[in-house]
Amino acid sequence: MSYITLARKLRPQTLKEVVGQELVVKALSNAIENNALHPVYLLTGTRGVGKTTLARIIAKSINCENLNGHEPCLKCSTCLMIQEGSYCDLYEIDAASKTKVEDTREVLDQIAYMPQMGKKKVYLIDEVHMLSQHSFNALLKTLEEPPAHVQFILATTEPEKIPATVLSRCLHFNLKPLTEQEIQTRLATALTQENKTFDQDALVHVAQAAKGSMRDALTLLDQCLAVSPSHIDSNTTAQLVKSIPSSQIHLLLKAIEKKDLKGIDQICNQCETTNVDFQQVLSDLSKELHQIAVAQQLGSPHPLKDLWDAGYIQVLYRMCIQGIQDLTFAPSARIGVSMCLIRMAVFQPSQETEKKSLLS
């Protein structure tokens, strides 16, 4: 039997299982329960946030033989066929590969016919922004007056490329990127269900690397399980996602405060050995400086909040951001990051102030 990826195995099957999209879920739940679905939905958002998943849940809810409020039963033949991808009244169209107007007209010609099995035919057009202008023109008339037995769901990562005439016919829901905490919670639940143990820091690394995409997070988790099938540890995960452990970030900040250039160079060597993304080093460093600044302002605990005063932390943060911008022009990422860290360590604002006073 072929391996089923976590992203497929753990795909939400009902609205209550969808993570991080509370407002969209509430709106769709009310529409399904009150039999008031809009004829054309547009779901937008970055990759891996649940656009296709929500579309399939809508299809199940519309055609489920034993609908309970707004939740499909997941047991009837309709629900099972949609989950398996074999339901004849759900048409999933990849607009990236069907951009020609002839392809669109071929789809539109079938719309007039009644559904074969269910209550409605559901057309899911993924990456709809890839359609040509002629295809949009052909689709527009149908979207203006869609037949009662048809449900359209359009999905895209780039809604700004959709003509305004099409947008005006859609009920638009923008799915937000998931927070790192939402991703960590879901990953912890998934690993518990799979009877795997894990370090909490490992989930932090994966959630940060996923950048708001649950699918990317689960794919990264698959990679981690391939290396370490029974236990997800922090060091292995950090190497796989090319991130630097938080303990190393703390050591780096302490080395900067002590002006320990040798210590900074040793940490850079370790990052190179473990294949860390050097831009991520500066990104994580800026995040840590932000957390220190917030802890100082709110009086909340942080192990490094007494290293510098609030003004100096702002200077260091600015150096980090400038260092990220300068990486494009550096001979290598390692050199660019190393020079930025050295600059942070040797900078002396008192000397700069004295220089300005002499010139005035």
Side-chain angles (χ1 to χ4, degrees), residues 26-74:
K26 184 177 182 180
L28 290 174
S29 299
N30 290 336
I32 293 167
E33 197 156 356
N34 298 317
N35 196 25
L37 283 166
H38 193 277
V40 188
Y41 283 101
L42 173 63
L43 305 178
T44 63
T46 188
R47 68 186 189 281
V49 293
K51 301 184 294 295
T52 304
T53 294
L54 277 173
R56 289 175 181 168
I57 292 173
I58 293 171
K60 278 188 286 193
S61 299
I62 290 172
N63 292 305
C64 177
E65 298 162 27
N66 303 300
L67 187 67
N68 181 19
H70 61 266
E71 298 288 7
C73 69
L74 306 183

Coordinates of all heavy atoms in Angstrom, one line a residue, residues 26-74:
K26 N -17.8 30.3 9.9 CA -19.1 30.8 10.4 C -20.1 31.2 9.3 O -21.2 30.8 9.3 CB -18.9 31.9 11.4 CG -20.2 32.4 12.1 CD -19.9 33.5 13.1 CE -21.2 33.9 13.8 NZ -20.9 35.0 14.8
A27 N -19.5 31.9 8.3 CA -20.4 32.4 7.2 C -20.9 31.2 6.4 O -22.1 31.1 6.0 CB -19.6 33.4 6.3
L28 N -20.0 30.3 6.1 CA -20.4 29.1 5.3 C -21.4 28.2 6.1 O -22.3 27.6 5.5 CB -19.2 28.3 4.9 CG -18.3 29.0 3.8 CD1 -17.0 28.2 3.6 CD2 -19.0 29.2 2.5
S29 N -21.1 28.1 7.4 CA -22.0 27.2 8.2 C -23.4 27.8 8.2 O -24.4 27.0 8.0 CB -21.5 27.2 9.6 OG -20.2 26.6 9.7
N30 N -23.6 29.1 8.3 CA -24.9 29.7 8.3 C -25.5 29.6 6.9 O -26.8 29.3 6.9 CB -24.8 31.2 8.6 CG -24.4 31.5 10.1 OD1 -24.6 30.6 11.0 ND2 -23.8 32.6 10.4
A31 N -24.8 29.7 5.9 CA -25.3 29.6 4.5 C -25.8 28.2 4.3 O -26.9 28.0 3.7 CB -24.3 30.0 3.5
I32 N -25.0 27.2 4.7 CA -25.4 25.8 4.4 C -26.6 25.4 5.3 O -27.6 24.8 4.8 CB -24.2 24.8 4.8 CG1 -23.1 25.1 3.8 CG2 -24.7 23.4 4.8 CD1 -21.8 24.4 4.2
E33 N -26.6 25.8 6.5 CA -27.7 25.5 7.4 C -29.0 26.1 7.0 O -30.1 25.5 7.2 CB -27.4 25.9 8.9 CG -28.2 25.2 9.9 CD -27.6 25.1 11.3 OE1 -26.4 25.5 11.4 OE2 -28.2 24.7 12.2
N34 N -29.0 27.3 6.5 CA -30.2 28.1 6.0 C -30.5 27.9 4.6 O -31.3 28.6 4.0 CB -30.0 29.5 6.4 CG -29.9 29.8 7.9 OD1 -30.6 29.2 8.7 ND2 -28.9 30.7 8.2
N35 N -29.7 27.0 3.9 CA -29.9 26.7 2.5 C -29.8 28.0 1.7 O -30.7 28.3 0.8 CB -31.3 26.0 2.2 CG -31.3 25.4 0.8 OD1 -30.3 25.1 0.2 ND2 -32.6 25.3 0.3
A36 N -28.8 28.8 2.0 CA -28.7 30.2 1.4 C -27.3 30.4 0.8 O -26.7 31.4 0.9 CB -29.0 31.3 2.4
L37 N -26.7 29.3 0.2 CA -25.4 29.4 -0.4 C -25.4 30.4 -1.6 O -26.3 30.3 -2.5 CB -24.9 28.1 -0.9 CG -24.4 27.1 0.2 CD1 -24.3 25.7 -0.3 CD2 -23.1 27.6 0.7
H38 N -24.4 31.2 -1.7 CA -24.3 32.1 -2.9 C -23.9 31.3 -4.1 O -23.2 30.3 -4.0 CB -23.2 33.2 -2.6 CG -23.2 34.3 -3.5 ND1 -22.5 34.2 -4.8 CD2 -23.7 35.6 -3.5 CE1 -22.6 35.4 -5.4 NE2 -23.3 36.2 -4.6
P39 N -24.4 31.6 -5.3 CA -24.1 30.8 -6.5 C -22.6 30.7 -6.8 O -22.2 29.7 -7.4 CB -24.9 31.5 -7.6 CG -25.9 32.3 -6.9 CD -25.3 32.7 -5.6
V40 N -21.9 31.8 -6.5 CA -20.5 31.8 -6.9 C -19.6 32.3 -5.7 O -19.8 33.4 -5.2 CB -20.2 32.8 -8.1 CG1 -18.8 32.6 -8.6 CG2 -21.2 32.5 -9.2
Y41 N -18.7 31.4 -5.2 CA -17.8 31.8 -4.1 C -16.4 32.0 -4.7 O -16.0 31.2 -5.6 CB -17.8 30.7 -3.0 CG -19.0 30.8 -2.1 CD1 -20.0 29.8 -2.3 CD2 -19.1 31.7 -1.1 CE1 -21.1 29.9 -1.4 CE2 -20.2 31.7 -0.3 CZ -21.2 30.8 -0.4 OH -22.3 30.9 0.4
L42 N -15.7 33.0 -4.2 CA -14.3 33.2 -4.5 C -13.5 33.0 -3.3 O -13.6 33.8 -2.3 CB -14.1 34.5 -5.2 CG -12.6 34.9 -5.4 CD1 -12.0 34.0 -6.4 CD2 -12.5 36.4 -5.9
L43 N -12.6 32.0 -3.2 CA -11.8 31.8 -2.1 C -10.3 32.1 -2.4 O -9.8 31.6 -3.4 CB -11.8 30.3 -1.6 CG -13.2 29.7 -1.4 CD1 -13.2 28.2 -1.0 CD2 -13.9 30.5 -0.2
T44 N -9.8 33.1 -1.7 CA -8.4 33.5 -2.0 C -7.5 33.4 -0.8 O -8.0 33.2 0.4 CB -8.4 35.0 -2.4 OG1 -8.9 35.8 -1.3 CG2 -9.3 35.2 -3.6
G45 N -6.2 33.4 -1.0 CA -5.3 33.3 0.1 C -4.0 32.6 -0.4 O -4.0 32.0 -1.5
T46 N -3.0 32.6 0.4 CA -1.7 32.0 0.0 C -1.9 30.5 0.0 O -2.9 29.9 0.4 CB -0.6 32.4 1.0 OG1 0.6 31.9 0.5 CG2 -0.9 31.8 2.4
R47 N -0.9 29.8 -0.5 CA -0.9 28.4 -0.7 C -1.1 27.7 0.7 O -0.5 28.1 1.7 CB 0.3 27.8 -1.4 CG 1.6 27.9 -0.6 CD 2.8 27.6 -1.3 NE 4.0 27.5 -0.4 CZ 4.6 28.6 0.0 NH1 4.3 29.8 -0.4 NH2 5.7 28.4 0.8
G48 N -1.8 26.6 0.7 CA -1.9 25.7 1.8 C -2.7 26.2 3.0 O -2.6 25.7 4.1
V49 N -3.6 27.2 2.8 CA -4.5 27.7 3.9 C -5.9 27.1 3.9 O -6.6 27.4 4.8 CB -4.5 29.2 3.9 CG1 -3.2 29.8 4.2 CG2 -5.1 29.7 2.6
G50 N -6.2 26.3 2.9 CA -7.5 25.6 2.9 C -8.5 25.9 1.9 O -9.7 25.6 2.0
K51 N -8.1 26.5 0.7 CA -9.1 26.9 -0.3 C -9.8 25.7 -0.9 O -11.0 25.6 -1.0 CB -8.4 27.7 -1.4 CG -7.7 29.0 -0.9 CD -7.1 29.8 -2.0 CE -6.0 29.2 -2.7 NZ -4.8 29.0 -1.8
T52 N -9.0 24.7 -1.4 CA -9.5 23.5 -2.0 C -10.3 22.7 -1.0 O -11.3 22.1 -1.3 CB -8.4 22.7 -2.7 OG1 -7.7 23.5 -3.6 CG2 -9.0 21.5 -3.4
T53 N -9.7 22.6 0.2 CA -10.4 21.8 1.3 C -11.8 22.4 1.6 O -12.8 21.6 1.7 CB -9.5 21.9 2.6 OG1 -8.3 21.2 2.4 CG2 -10.3 21.3 3.7
L54 N -11.9 23.7 1.7 CA -13.2 24.3 1.9 C -14.2 24.0 0.8 O -15.4 23.8 1.0 CB -13.1 25.8 2.2 CG -12.7 26.2 3.6 CD1 -12.5 27.7 3.6 CD2 -13.8 25.9 4.6
A55 N -13.6 24.1 -0.5 CA -14.5 23.8 -1.6 C -15.1 22.4 -1.6 O -16.2 22.2 -1.9 CB -13.7 24.1 -2.9
R56 N -14.2 21.5 -1.2 CA -14.7 20.1 -1.2 C -15.7 19.9 0.0 O -16.7 19.1 -0.2 CB -13.5 19.1 -1.0 CG -12.7 19.0 -2.3 CD -11.5 18.2 -2.1 NE -10.6 18.1 -3.3 CZ -9.4 17.7 -3.3 NH1 -8.8 17.2 -2.2 NH2 -8.7 17.6 -4.5
I57 N -15.5 20.6 1.1 CA -16.5 20.5 2.2 C -17.8 21.1 1.7 O -18.9 20.5 2.1 CB -15.9 21.2 3.4 CG1 -14.7 20.4 4.0 CG2 -17.0 21.3 4.5 CD1 -14.0 21.2 5.1
I58 N -17.8 22.2 1.0 CA -19.0 22.8 0.5 C -19.7 21.8 -0.4 O -21.0 21.6 -0.3 CB -18.7 24.1 -0.3 CG1 -18.2 25.2 0.7 CG2 -20.0 24.6 -1.0 CD1 -17.7 26.4 0.0
A59 N -19.0 21.1 -1.3 CA -19.5 20.1 -2.2 C -20.2 19.0 -1.4 O -21.3 18.6 -1.8 CB -18.5 19.6 -3.1
K60 N -19.6 18.5 -0.4 CA -20.1 17.5 0.4 C -21.4 17.9 1.1 O -22.4 17.2 1.2 CB -19.1 17.0 1.5 CG -18.1 16.0 0.9 CD -17.3 15.4 2.0 CE -16.2 16.4 2.5 NZ -15.2 15.8 3.3
S61 N -21.4 19.2 1.7 CA -22.5 19.7 2.4 C -23.7 19.9 1.5 O -24.9 19.7 2.0 CB -22.1 21.0 3.1 OG -21.1 20.8 4.0
I62 N -23.5 20.3 0.3 CA -24.6 20.5 -0.7 C -25.2 19.1 -1.0 O -26.5 19.0 -1.1 CB -24.1 21.2 -2.0 CG1 -23.7 22.6 -1.7 CG2 -25.1 21.1 -3.1 CD1 -23.0 23.3 -2.9
N63 N -24.4 18.1 -1.2 CA -24.9 16.9 -1.8 C -25.0 15.7 -0.8 O -25.5 14.6 -1.2 CB -24.1 16.4 -3.0 CG -24.2 17.4 -4.2 OD1 -25.3 17.6 -4.6 ND2 -23.1 17.9 -4.6
C64 N -24.7 15.9 0.5 CA -24.7 14.9 1.5 C -26.1 14.3 1.6 O -27.1 15.1 1.7 CB -24.2 15.4 2.8 SG -24.3 14.2 4.1
E65 N -26.2 13.0 1.7 CA -27.5 12.4 1.8 C -28.1 12.4 3.2 O -29.3 12.2 3.4 CB -27.4 10.9 1.3 CG -27.0 10.8 -0.1 CD -26.5 9.4 -0.4 OE1 -26.9 8.4 0.2 OE2 -25.6 9.3 -1.4
N66 N -27.3 12.7 4.2 CA -27.7 12.7 5.6 C -27.1 13.9 6.3 O -26.5 13.8 7.4 CB -27.3 11.4 6.3 CG -27.8 10.2 5.6 OD1 -29.1 10.0 5.5 ND2 -26.9 9.3 5.2
L67 N -27.3 15.1 5.7 CA -26.7 16.3 6.3 C -27.3 16.6 7.7 O -28.5 16.6 7.9 CB -27.1 17.5 5.4 CG -26.4 18.9 5.7 CD1 -24.9 18.8 5.5 CD2 -27.0 20.0 4.9
N68 N -26.4 16.9 8.6 CA -26.7 17.2 10.0 C -26.5 18.7 10.3 O -25.4 19.1 10.6 CB -26.0 16.3 11.0 CG -26.3 16.6 12.4 OD1 -27.4 17.1 12.7 ND2 -25.4 16.2 13.3
G69 N -27.5 19.5 10.1 CA -27.3 21.0 10.3 C -26.4 21.5 9.1 O -26.9 21.6 8.0
H70 N -25.2 21.8 9.4 CA -24.3 22.2 8.3 C -23.1 21.2 8.1 O -22.2 21.5 7.3 CB -23.7 23.6 8.6 CG -22.9 23.7 9.9 ND1 -23.5 24.0 11.1 CD2 -21.6 23.4 10.1 CE1 -22.6 24.0 12.0 NE2 -21.4 23.6 11.5
E71 N -23.1 20.1 8.8 CA -22.0 19.2 8.7 C -22.4 17.9 7.9 O -23.4 17.3 8.2 CB -21.6 18.7 10.1 CG -21.1 19.9 11.0 CD -19.7 20.3 10.6 OE1 -19.2 19.9 9.5 OE2 -19.1 21.2 11.3
P72 N -21.6 17.6 6.9 CA -21.9 16.3 6.2 C -21.6 15.1 7.0 O -20.9 15.1 8.0 CB -20.9 16.4 5.0 CG -19.8 17.3 5.5 CD -20.4 18.3 6.4
C73 N -22.3 14.0 6.7 CA -22.2 12.8 7.6 C -20.9 12.1 7.5 O -20.5 11.3 8.4 CB -23.4 11.9 7.3 SG -23.3 11.1 5.6
L74 N -20.3 12.2 6.3 CA -19.0 11.5 6.0 C -19.2 10.0 5.9 O -18.2 9.3 5.8 CB -17.9 11.8 7.1 CG -17.6 13.3 7.4 CD1 -16.5 13.4 8.4 CD2 -17.2 14.0 6.1

